[in-house]
Amino acid sequence: MLRRRTTAQELNFRQHRRIQSGRRQFLQGGDASPEQNGPEQNGLVLANYGFNSEVENEQGERFRCAVRETVDSSPAAGDQVVWRPGKTAGQGVIEAISPRHSELRRPGTQGRWQTVAANIDRLVVIFSPDRFVMGLADRYLIVAAVAGIEAILVVNKQDVLQGKEFRSYRQELKRDLKIYRRMGYLTQLVSAHSGKGLPWLTEQLVGRNTLLVGQSGVGKSSLIRHWITDEEIRVGQVNAIGRGRQTTSAARLYHLPQGGNIIDSAGIRALALQGIPAHRVVDYFRDVSKYAGKCRFSDCRHDAEPNCAVQAAVAKGKVDPRRLVSLHAIADSLEVSGDGTLLLQD
Ligand SMILES: Nc1nc2c(ncn2[C@@H]2O[C@H](COP(=O)(O)OP(=O)(O)OP(=O)(O)O)[C@@H](O)[C@H]2O)c(=O)[nH]1
Ligand SMILES: [Mg+2]
Ligand SMILES: [Zn+2]
């Protein structure tokens, strides 16, 4: 008797073919027996809590789902899945994860990489004004570029920079952001408290799947609260400027009323940057790479080599020397980690 393959089996089957063709980027589906569970359906992962995921069905109802053991990767916020409702109301099981068009990964347990969020179109990197660290911005921008995700830089808590005493500080910050604008990145100063810059930021989110990242306490959840008013979103109890303990514990997807989704993240200490050898990091420094091709040595580290065009550009004031400090720090950390782990400063 010919039986139609279920969607999960179809995903499983296709994955099998991909493995055979050497492209192992697909995930496995299970072989759940329909007698024990409801019919297969599509769903969206809102959050993953280790052994369980919160899945939303096409009607907007939410279910707590276990993951079939044959699925060999953890679901992440933003994943499209095939799942079945279980016998207990409000519960179910994820049978397969659809291929991701993008993902951001971090080192997980037992040497495995864990997906932070999936199917993201845009990364919004949030800083607090006292912690705009170029090296950190560069790390996020490179990871996003390698993952094929557009990234923008946002400095929140603009309200605390008011007043004469912060004048030179404001100017310095704006100078730093200009370096990135010249490279073609969008940057913006905003305030979740005063609302400054938020209409612009909202426009950037509409119709997209956006992931908010940034160190603990920079105000990611506070920004989300501006858009999502019908859900309880916990915000940290720290001073306007200052480190808080981590408040948000897992990445979580919210639907924007204007259309599109936004994912709040937390506690990312390192990201995956696999497949980029240290000497190729410069390709992702848009302001430095245009000189790198003119160095005498093709494998120039732009450090102390003779006839280094990058060093010459720095000497002529065409490249900010801090750009090279950041470049070398990233290249060195990749060399040290050996597996493409990119630590984000704490
Ligand atoms: N002055 C000022 N404070 C802000 C602003 N946005 C957030 N805060 C404060 O900063 C603190 C941290 O905010 P959260 O939104 O919890 O920060 P988070 O980035 O989500 O932090 P984690 O969840 O720990 O990663 C809270 O006390 C907020 O009230 C702002 O625009 N201006
Ligand atoms: Mg938070
Ligand atoms: Zn060089």
Side-chain angles (χ1 to χ4, degrees), residues 295 300 302 308-310:
C295 298
C300 186
H302 323 297
C308 169
V310 171

Side-chain angles (χ1 to χ4, degrees), residues 305-319:
E305 290 87 347
N307 292 43
C308 169
V310 171
Q311 290 287 352
V314 172
K316 281 189 206 147
K318 289 184 182 163
V319 171

Side-chain angles (χ1 to χ4, degrees), residues 156-157 159 191-193 216-217 219-222 235-236 238 246-248:
N156 184 35
K157 309 196 189 183
D159 54 295
S191 167
H193 282 190
S216 182
K220 299 178 292 293
S221 299
S222 304
V235 157
V238 298
Q246 235 175 59
T247 306
T248 307

Side-chain angles (χ1 to χ4, degrees), residues 228-247:
I228 314 298
T229 47
D230 58 348
E231 287 193 52
E232 197 196 323
I233 294 157
R234 288 188 55 215
V235 157
Q237 304 294 317
V238 298
N239 308 326
I241 289 187
R243 277 156 204 246
R245 273 198 324 182
Q246 235 175 59
T247 306

